[in-house]
Amino acid sequence: SVLSWVEDQLIDTSEYSRLFITAHCPPTDNMFFGENYVTRYKNILIDYVVDLSIHGHWHSFGIYDFYGDGSSYLTCGATMNRSFCLVDVSDESIEVEEVKF
């Protein structure tokens, strides 16, 4: 499955200080293969300490947290809404800004 592939990619990431995942559909979208996949994806984010899961598809902007457990994901705006997301990553933080044009 797709989630098995994602998990396989995260197994040997000890040399990285930050982990990000990008995918088209956000995990709360009904196109994300159903509730079992959402729960498994959330657990992958937590288990592998993924800093941020970045998505599009909704054509909206927002940073969300799964059930308040720290597994964060970002849904970025689309150029058709005349905006994009700027993600600034440092050792201490991840700042997300919606840039309108």
Side-chain angles (χ1 to χ4, degrees), residues 67-88:
Y67 313 116
D69 60 15
S71 54
S72 296
Y73 69 98
L74 168 69
T75 303
C76 294
T79 55
M80 65 188 276
N81 288 340
R82 302 189 54 84
S83 70
F84 62 91
C85 294
L86 180 63
V87 180
D88 184 19

Side-chain angles (χ1 to χ4, degrees), residues 19-27 32 41 45 50-57 62-63 72-77 85-89 94 96:
L19 293 176
F20 299 88
I21 295 176
T22 59
H24 180 73
C25 289
F32 202 79
Y41 188 73
L45 295 180
V50 173
D51 291 283
L52 190 60
S53 181
I54 303 170
H55 306 274
H57 187 67
I63 189 162
S72 296
Y73 69 98
L74 168 69
T75 303
C76 294
C85 294
L86 180 63
V87 180
D88 184 19
V89 180
I94 300 170
V96 179

Side-chain angles (χ1 to χ4, degrees), residues 9-62:
Q9 303 311 301
L10 294 170
I11 288 172
D12 186 23
T13 56
S14 60
E15 66 186 84
Y16 302 108
S17 61
R18 295 287 199 168
L19 293 176
F20 299 88
I21 295 176
T22 59
H24 180 73
C25 289
T28 56
D29 190 276
N30 63 357
M31 292 182 69
F32 202 79
F33 309 112
E35 186 60 36
N36 289 338
Y37 271 72
V38 171
T39 300
R40 183 166 173 214
Y41 188 73
K42 178 184 77 159
N43 290 334
I44 288 171
L45 295 180
I46 293 168
D47 292 346
Y48 291 94
V49 193
V50 173
D51 291 283
L52 190 60
S53 181
I54 303 170
H55 306 274
H57 187 67
W58 283 352
H59 305 266
S60 62
F61 173 78

